[in-house]
Amino acid sequence: MELPDFMKYSGKYTNSGFTEKISRVAKRAGAKLVYAALILFYTLQSDKVSVKDKAIIIGALGYLISPLDVVPDAIPIAGLGDDLAVLIYVLQKVWTDVSDDVKQKALDRLSKWFDEDEIAEIDGIFDKTQKQETPKQTEQ
């Protein structure tokens, strides 16, 4: 799958737009997409991330927010597949800047929308390209 030029969507990104979109599509999008999006969202807020990485994160999150992308989100199943591909691609680019704290924040937020079985979907999300493990949910 060839990735679209998601950087042209950077002007579509806003914190409120992201929060609204993610909460609206969370269950339909699935835990993998939401987890990847939350990691990028929280990484964007870090002061340890370069301006270049922040720019590509904004492009990817803008692509997610935009209803007009390569495969419109309204198309069942495939509609969010291109969004997930863009998010994973960018996450791979910035993975070394993703702190354990960011991973835990994303996981904590994920647990508000998904049950344990659904959260298990994120296990191995980066196995093909990353040697890192995804964080496990902490005991509460």
Side-chain angles (χ1 to χ4, degrees), residues 119-132:
I119 291 174
E121 291 178 25
I122 69 169
D123 288 341
I125 190 172
F126 307 111
D127 283 352
K128 293 180 182 172
T129 57
Q130 300 295 330
K131 305 264 188 254
Q132 306 282 345

Side-chain angles (χ1 to χ4, degrees), residues 35-49:
Y35 183 63
L38 287 170
I39 288 177
L40 290 174
F41 177 73
Y42 291 126
T43 299
L44 182 62
Q45 297 171 6
S46 171
D47 59 354
K48 297 175 182 155
V49 179

Side-chain angles (χ1 to χ4, degrees), residues 43-97:
T43 299
L44 182 62
Q45 297 171 6
S46 171
D47 59 354
K48 297 175 182 155
V49 179
S50 72
V51 173
K52 177 184 172 195
D53 285 350
K54 285 186 178 196
I56 64 171
I57 290 170
I58 288 171
L61 295 178
Y63 186 82
L64 173 67
I65 291 170
S66 177
L68 303 173
D69 51 28
V70 174
V71 181
D73 296 347
I75 297 174
I77 302 170
L80 293 169
D82 61 322
D83 295 22
L84 179 60
V86 166
L87 295 176
I88 297 286
Y89 172 80
V90 171
L91 200 46
Q92 290 171 354
K93 296 284 187 197
V94 303
W95 188 252
T96 57
D97 291 330

Side-chain angles (χ1 to χ4, degrees), residues 15-26:
N15 282 347
S16 61
F18 172 80
T19 303
E20 187 276 326
K21 171 83 177 219
I22 242 5
S23 61
R24 185 170 38 86
V25 302

